[in-house]
């Protein structure tokens, strides 16, 4: 670990935010260059290297852009910032932890993990409900509660009191959070919906109660002792009520002023809506409301919310799946003692851009800089590519559509297999083991693999076998279902109807407004890269096994061996009851792919409730089966250790590297074979043969009898050091 201090840096070959800098732009023109300088590497790391999910959100600020079309009264969402639309007409919607859709999906992942039950039994609707208007309002009410509490404490203190200044800082943050709602009409919709409902249904114990007029009253005793409820006197007050009213009025003024300052086009209606939201004003007499108008507004708000939320999800979902992929990548590293933390370099460029003949040299020069030097701090070991096209076509051509069926949706930014092969061919010499997965949909989920098997995947990836880059290509499957397609519906609310007595919630089925998310998935390549990057760290392995040495990374660790996969499960909950024996037989006969399992397993007498690794193979075919990825990783590690210790493969130094001398590297590896993460296990061996005529050193690494060969060109004429 002293020479090579990390073996898990991962490069993401994808675009997150086109408004941010990308790898190709930062590298620039490379004509006549073999590498970039150290300052450039540092600059690239500053913009593109991330060490956690939160740092990813901070650096790349994934964003959806929206604008309004007055011609058709539509809200338009886009992943790219429009250039032909006036700047003041564009709204930015950050996809961070505060976004209701992202927050809901992260909660979904955590809740499924805590329950550990299969998709068929999980109540997805309970979590999906988080993006309904009423649940969005729960967060706003919590913020409102905090603001009122803080303001009350603030008012109690004298001017200049340090504690008052501290509370003022907290209030400023809370007002900033609140302003994100009332500075955006779309964010105001849940507020408007809830506000209308509360005023229309004032005085009812339950939303479903029949409509009745409401006048605020109080219980009294008449002159003859009879009980009766009379209309609440409007001028009645107490000292406590006056104090509360003073505080409330101060907050009302603060919110009014803040709304007018942060909004370029303030309106009286929205101003009053903001006030009613954060400083609720009681309804004392429902007859004062224009009920038909309020009902019309409520129904329009709700229908508009349904339409715009649906349009937003369609545009945002592909980007959100990438965001969740990054979350899942970092989430695999669960270790109290932090050691070799996984890191990710985000290219922030689309795959088809990276593989263009005019831009590929830039990527190659960068990789030549970080991967072909004896400074391994910035070496890239793994890569991630998601959304490779799967080509699932229905061969039945309909002459007419008798029933309304699924519409063929062209998923944006799906990567062609040709782009993947171009990438692998272009970076093969830099030994980047690239995890790739197919487009996210129900047809590439656990359910599909459990019912159809893996033959389609094998056929689709045949083009990647028997190539120079095959050992660096790793097909990952299935994709993880965060919200399966068949369980992705949620009820937003029901429309309201006006009656002679007021208004009530409609009980008609046709007035029930629903939203269909159509499934949310995480590409398997992110999960595979995340778990592999995690077990490179000795400290991570130490949390699962006792016999771990801190001297070596987990390059030789075979997750398929013994019960290792069960002791290093993923952090994602099981999805299905498992694969049939016939499907597992097919997988085992070919040993294809980096395949995840959702079978029932136990470890140390306890049920395992997480997805686990079943196979971890590359696309290299040896003797009619696919080769384990650890063999390529170990070979890469050995070759880089050789290069570093032999001063770039100097002949005499290579001879010493493999000698029986106790100080040689081979002797050091042979002396420590009893650990989980030993470079050589007891049944392994490593040998070399130098072909003097060709100035080539053939290194044979034997993994329990299965030999992998490395061919290294020597620096024969140089003197040994």
């Amino acid at each position: 670990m002293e020479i090579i201090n990390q073996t898990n840096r991962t490069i993401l070959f994808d675009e997150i935010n086109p408004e941010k800098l990308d790898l190709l732009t930062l590298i620039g023109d490379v004509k006549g260059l073999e590498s970039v300088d150290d300052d450039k590497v540092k600059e690239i790391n500053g913009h593109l290297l991330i060490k956690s999910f939160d740092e990813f959100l901070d650096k790349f600020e994934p964003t959806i852009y929206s604008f309004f079309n007055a011609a058709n009264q539509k809200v338009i969402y886009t992943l790219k910032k429009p250039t032909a639309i006036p700047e003041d007409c564009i709204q930015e919607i950050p996809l961070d932890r505060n976004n209701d859709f992202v927050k809901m999906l992260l909660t979904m992942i955590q809740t499924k993990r805590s329950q550990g039950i299969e998709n068929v039994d999980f109540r997805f609707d309970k979590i999906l409900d988080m993006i309904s208007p009423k649940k969005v309002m729960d967060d706003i009410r919590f913020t409102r509660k905090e603001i009122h509490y803080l303001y009350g404490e603030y008012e109690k203190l004298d001017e200049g009191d340090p504690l008052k200044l501290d509370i003022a800082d907290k209030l400023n943050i809370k007002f900033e959070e609140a302003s994100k709602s009332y500075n955006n009409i779309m964010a105001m919709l849940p507020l408007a919906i809830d506000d209308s409902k509360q005023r229309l249904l004032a005085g009812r114990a339950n939303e479903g109660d029949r409509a009745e007029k409401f006048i605020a009253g109080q219980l009294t005793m008449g002159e003859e002792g009879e009980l009766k409820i009379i209309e609440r006197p409007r001028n009645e007050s107490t000292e406590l009520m006056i104090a509360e009213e003073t505080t409330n009025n101060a907050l009302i003024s603060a919110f009014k002023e803040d709304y007018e300052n942060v909004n370029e086009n303030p309106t009286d209606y929205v101003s009053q809506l903001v006030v009613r939201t954060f400083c609720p004003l009681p309804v004392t007499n429902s007859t004062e409301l224009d009920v038909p108008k309020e009902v019309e507004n409520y129904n329009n708000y709700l229908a508009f919310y349904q339409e715009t939320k649906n349009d937003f999800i369609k545009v945002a979902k592909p980007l959100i799946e990438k965001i969740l992929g990054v979350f899942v990548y970092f989430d695999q590293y669960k270790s109290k003692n932090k050691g070799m933390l996984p890191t990710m370099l985000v290219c922030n460029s689309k795959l088809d851009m990276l593989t263009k003949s005019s831009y590929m040299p830039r990527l190659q020069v960068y990789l030549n800089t970080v991967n072909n030097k004896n400074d391994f701090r910035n070496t890239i070991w793994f890569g991630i590519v998601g959304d490779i096209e799967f080509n699932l076509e229905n061969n039945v051509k309909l002459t007419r559509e008798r029933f309304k069926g699924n519409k063929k949706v062209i998923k944006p930014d799906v990567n062609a297999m040709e782009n993947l092969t171009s990438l692998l061919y272009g970076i093969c010499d830099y030994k980047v083991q690239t995890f790739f997965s197919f487009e996210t949909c129900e047809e590439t989920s656990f359910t599909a693999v459990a019912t159809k098997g893996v033959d389609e995947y094998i056929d689709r990836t045949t083009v990647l076998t028997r190539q120079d880059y095959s050992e660096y290509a790793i097909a990952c499957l299935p994709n993880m279902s965060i919200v399966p397609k068949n369980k992705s519906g949620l009820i937003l609310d029901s429309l309201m109807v006006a009656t002679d007595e007021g208004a009530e919630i409609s009980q008609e089925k046709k007035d029930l407004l629903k939203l269909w998310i159509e499934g949310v998935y995480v590409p398997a390549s992110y999960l595979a890269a995340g778990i592999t990057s995690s077990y490179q760290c000795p400290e991570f392995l130490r949390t699962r096994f006792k016999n771990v040495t801190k001297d070596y990374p987990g390059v030789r660790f075979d997750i398929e061996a013994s019960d290792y996969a069960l002791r290093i499960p993923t952090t994602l909950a099981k999805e299905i009851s498992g694969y049939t024996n016939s499907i597992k037989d097919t997988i085992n006969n070919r040993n294809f792919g980096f395949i995840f399992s959702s079978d029932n397993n136990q470890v140390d007498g306890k049920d395992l409730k997480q997805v686990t690794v079943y196979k971890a193979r590359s696309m290299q075919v040896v003797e009619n089966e696919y080769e384990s990825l650890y063999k390529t990783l170990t070979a890469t590690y050995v070759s880089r250790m050789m290069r570093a210790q032999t001063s770039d493969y100097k002949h005499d130094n290579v001879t010493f590297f493999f000698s029986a001398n106790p100080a040689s590297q081979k002797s050091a590896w042979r002396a420590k074979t009893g650990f989980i993460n030993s470079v050589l296990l007891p049944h392994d061996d490593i040998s070399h043969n130098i072909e003097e005529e060709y100035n080539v050193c053939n290194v044979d690494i034997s993994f329990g009898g299965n030999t992998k060969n490395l061919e290294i060109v020597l620096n024969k004429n140089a003197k040994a050091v």
Side-chain angles (χ1 to χ4, degrees):
M1 294 290 286
E2 292 180 0
I3 296 174
I4 298 180
N5 58 2
Q6 63 88 13
T7 57
N8 60 0
R9 180 159 296 180
T10 304
I11 186 168
L12 174 59
F13 297 109
D14 211 335
E15 182 181 67
I16 300 297
N17 188 343
E19 298 300 312
K20 297 290 182 178
L21 286 170
D22 60 83
L23 185 61
L24 297 177
T25 299
L26 286 167
I27 294 171
D29 185 20
V30 294
K31 188 175 182 180
L33 298 179
E34 285 292 320
S35 68
V36 297
D37 58 36
D38 292 346
D39 287 337
K40 179 58 68 175
V41 172
K42 185 177 180 180
E43 182 186 10
I44 289 169
N45 288 347
H47 288 286
L48 306 180
L49 185 67
I50 54 173
K51 299 178 182 178
S52 68
F53 177 62
D54 286 322
E55 186 178 8
F56 164 74
L57 294 177
D58 290 340
K59 278 192 176 181
F60 290 93
E61 298 179 325
T63 304
I64 298 295
Y65 301 93
S66 70
F67 57 92
F68 303 96
N69 186 346
N72 58 10
Q73 298 295 298
K74 291 279 188 179
V75 184
I76 311 299
Y77 296 99
T78 176
L79 291 168
K80 291 184 178 180
K81 190 172 185 178
T83 56
I85 305 296
E87 187 76 23
D88 60 353
C89 292
I90 300 172
Q91 292 276 358
E92 295 185 1
I93 306 171
L95 296 181
D96 54 20
R97 286 184 181 272
N98 294 318
N99 179 270
D100 60 345
F101 194 53
V102 174
K103 188 191 300 183
M104 179 270 291
L105 293 171
L106 291 176
T107 303
M108 185 79 73
I109 292 173
Q110 293 162 0
T111 306
K112 287 178 68 178
R113 179 191 304 165
S114 65
Q115 293 189 357
I117 59 178
E118 297 160 11
N119 289 347
V120 67
D121 295 320
F122 186 78
R123 295 293 304 274
F124 287 93
D125 58 312
K126 295 298 182 182
I127 310 298
L128 288 170
D129 191 47
M130 283 179 62
I131 61 174
S132 66
K134 56 187 176 184
K135 292 298 181 181
V136 173
M137 275 302 299
D138 286 344
D139 288 337
I140 294 173
R141 288 191 188 96
F142 186 77
T143 300
R144 179 176 73 196
K145 187 177 181 181
E146 288 184 302
I147 288 175
H148 279 254
Y149 168 74
L150 289 171
Y151 193 81
E153 295 299 303
Y154 174 83
E155 285 291 282
K156 293 176 184 177
L157 300 171
D158 296 330
E159 290 297 326
D161 189 324
L163 182 56
K164 185 165 188 170
L165 300 178
D166 291 340
I167 294 176
D169 289 337
K170 294 178 181 178
L171 272 172
N172 285 329
I173 293 173
K174 291 301 172 185
F175 265 80
E176 184 66 28
E177 291 177 4
S179 70
K180 290 178 180 178
S181 296
Y182 55 72
N183 194 32
N184 183 337
I185 292 296
M186 293 305 301
M188 290 294 292
L189 272 179
L191 279 64
I193 291 168
D194 185 78
D195 177 68
S196 292
K197 176 184 281 190
Q198 293 298 326
R199 289 187 295 126
L200 284 167
L201 302 184
R204 296 177 212 181
N206 300 296
E207 288 185 2
D209 291 349
R210 64 186 181 85
E212 289 183 348
K213 292 180 180 179
F214 170 72
I215 298 175
Q218 65 181 40
L219 182 63
T220 62
M221 268 190 186
E223 293 180 359
E224 298 181 3
E226 73 276 16
L227 291 175
K228 59 182 178 179
I229 297 174
I230 65 171
E231 183 177 353
R232 175 182 177 270
R234 298 186 180 240
N235 59 351
E236 181 181 320
S237 64
T238 66
E239 290 185 6
L240 178 61
M241 291 175 65
I242 291 172
E244 289 179 347
E245 188 174 324
T246 301
T247 299
N248 211 40
N249 286 340
L251 274 175
I252 288 172
S253 298
F255 273 109
K256 273 187 176 181
E257 181 183 355
D258 194 53
Y259 165 73
E260 291 171 359
N261 286 333
V262 300
N263 200 301
E264 294 181 2
N265 299 300
T267 65
D268 289 339
Y269 179 83
V270 177
S271 177
Q272 291 300 317
L273 179 58
V274 169
V275 168
R276 289 197 299 267
T277 299
F278 292 98
C279 303
L281 302 174
V283 175
T284 58
N285 192 338
S286 63
T287 59
E288 296 174 0
L289 297 176
D290 184 348
V291 173
K293 185 61 179 177
E294 288 288 344
V295 168
E296 181 184 1
N297 283 344
Y298 172 84
N299 290 341
N300 286 339
Y301 294 156
L302 194 59
F304 194 70
Y305 183 84
Q306 178 196 39
E307 180 183 5
T308 55
K309 201 70 173 179
N310 182 59
D311 292 342
F312 168 79
I313 289 171
K314 286 179 180 177
V315 173
K317 192 166 63 172
L319 177 55
I320 288 177
E321 288 180 337
K322 296 176 190 177
I323 294 170
L324 294 178
V326 176
F327 172 82
V328 165
Y329 172 86
F330 285 107
D331 195 48
Q332 302 317 300
Y333 189 81
K334 298 293 185 183
S335 176
K336 292 181 180 178
N337 297 321
K338 304 302 180 185
M340 188 199 304
L341 289 165
T343 56
M344 179 185 287
L345 188 84
V346 181
C347 283
N348 204 31
S349 295
K350 292 183 179 180
L351 185 61
D352 58 359
M353 284 291 289
L354 290 163
T355 55
K356 284 184 178 180
S357 59
S358 54
Y359 296 130
M360 177 58 76
R362 300 189 185 192
L363 178 60
Q364 291 171 327
V365 166
Y366 173 75
L367 290 176
N368 196 46
T369 305
V370 297
N371 279 28
N372 285 353
K373 289 183 178 180
N374 292 337
D375 180 352
F376 301 100
R377 289 173 297 175
N378 295 298
T379 300
I380 304 292
W381 294 80
F382 305 124
I384 296 175
V385 176
D387 282 325
I388 300 297
E389 60 183 354
F390 199 53
N391 282 352
L392 288 173
E393 297 289 344
N394 188 345
N395 294 323
V396 179
K397 293 186 177 181
L398 300 176
T399 57
R400 62 184 294 267
E401 187 178 58
R402 280 80 172 174
F403 305 96
K404 186 178 181 180
N406 289 309
K407 290 185 178 180
K408 179 69 176 177
V409 178
I410 306 298
K411 189 174 181 181
D413 299 333
V414 171
N415 296 311
M417 179 63 77
E418 289 76 12
N419 293 136
L420 176 63
T421 56
S422 295
L423 175 73
L424 294 169
Y425 179 81
I427 67 174
C428 174
D429 292 341
Y430 309 104
K431 305 181 186 301
V432 179
Q433 290 180 263
T434 303
F435 298 87
F436 70 92
S437 52
F438 291 94
E439 56 189 289
T440 50
C441 57
E442 190 67 17
E443 287 73 21
T444 57
S445 68
F446 261 110
T447 301
V449 172
T451 53
K452 298 179 182 178
V454 298
D455 289 340
E456 288 177 299
Y457 292 91
I458 295 175
D459 293 342
R460 189 73 184 92
T461 56
T462 300
V463 67
L464 302 176
T465 61
R466 295 179 172 81
Q467 305 284 347
D468 290 340
Y469 55 72
S470 296
E471 63 180 310
Y472 302 106
I474 304 165
C476 307
L477 63 142
N479 293 322
M480 306 297 124
S481 304
I482 305 304
V483 183
K485 182 180 178 180
N486 64 339
K487 292 181 177 288
S488 63
L490 72 144
I491 296 173
L492 293 177
D493 215 325
S494 289
L495 297 177
M496 205 172 289
V497 292
T499 68
D500 293 338
E501 299 298 322
E504 61 185 29
I505 297 291
S506 173
Q507 301 301 312
E508 296 290 332
K509 187 176 180 180
K510 64 180 179 62
D511 290 335
L512 195 65
L513 297 191
K514 294 184 178 181
L515 189 66
W516 296 96
I517 295 176
E518 297 293 324
V520 179
Y521 306 88
V522 168
S525 51
Y526 289 83
L527 182 60
I531 198 73
T532 306
S533 296
S534 293
Y535 68 66
Q536 294 306 302
C537 174
E539 292 297 336
F540 176 87
L541 290 173
R542 199 188 298 274
T543 62
R544 275 77 172 173
F545 305 95
K546 294 180 180 179
N547 56 331
V548 177
T549 175
K550 64 180 181 180
D551 296 332
Y552 304 127
V555 292
R556 172 61 180 85
F557 182 79
D558 180 10
I559 198 168
E560 290 185 39
S562 187
D563 63 350
Y564 295 173
L566 305 185
R567 295 190 178 277
I568 302 183
T570 71
T571 60
L572 296 181
K574 284 178 54 180
E575 296 195 21
I576 59 172
S577 58
Y579 301 135
T580 63
N581 289 333
S582 60
I583 287 178
K584 285 191 280 191
D585 288 343
T586 301
I587 296 171
N588 290 324
N589 286 338
R590 296 296 302 276
N591 284 320
F592 166 80
F594 197 113
I595 300 181
F596 292 100
S597 168
S598 185
D599 281 20
N600 294 319
N601 292 296
Q602 286 191 338
V603 178
D604 298 332
K606 296 180 180 179
D607 289 336
L608 189 63
K609 298 181 179 181
Q610 296 112 296
V611 167
T612 58
V613 177
Y614 192 68
K615 293 292 176 185
R617 306 291 175 124
S618 70
M619 294 306 304
Q620 186 171 37
V621 177
V622 178
E623 297 181 358
N624 203 37
E625 71 172 34
Y626 296 88
E627 189 161 87
S628 298
L629 68 86
Y630 78 84
K631 295 181 180 179
T632 297
L633 186 55
T634 304
T636 299
Y637 178 78
V638 168
S639 68
R640 286 174 176 163
M641 285 290 290
M642 283 181 63
R643 191 177 71 208
Q645 291 197 11
T646 63
S647 300
D648 296 323
Y649 307 124
K650 289 179 179 174
H651 185 284
D652 292 346
N653 289 347
V654 169
T655 301
F656 180 78
F657 186 93
F658 290 102
S659 72
N661 189 306
S664 74
Q665 185 60 63
K666 178 179 178 180
S667 297
W669 285 338
R670 293 298 303 155
K672 288 190 173 183
T673 59
F675 298 98
I676 285 288
N677 60 326
S678 295
V679 177
L680 296 177
L681 298 185
H683 52 279
D684 295 344
D685 197 12
I686 187 169
S687 60
H688 79 297
N689 175 47
I690 297 178
E691 298 182 46
E692 301 286 353
E693 181 181 358
Y694 301 105
N695 199 33
V696 168
C697 176
N698 288 299
V699 180
D700 291 325
I701 308 174
S702 175
F703 301 100
N706 296 317
T707 302
K708 187 170 185 63
N709 175 262
L710 289 174
E711 187 178 277
I712 295 172
V713 178
L714 299 177
N715 187 3
K716 186 175 182 179
N717 295 326
K719 293 181 180 181
V721 293

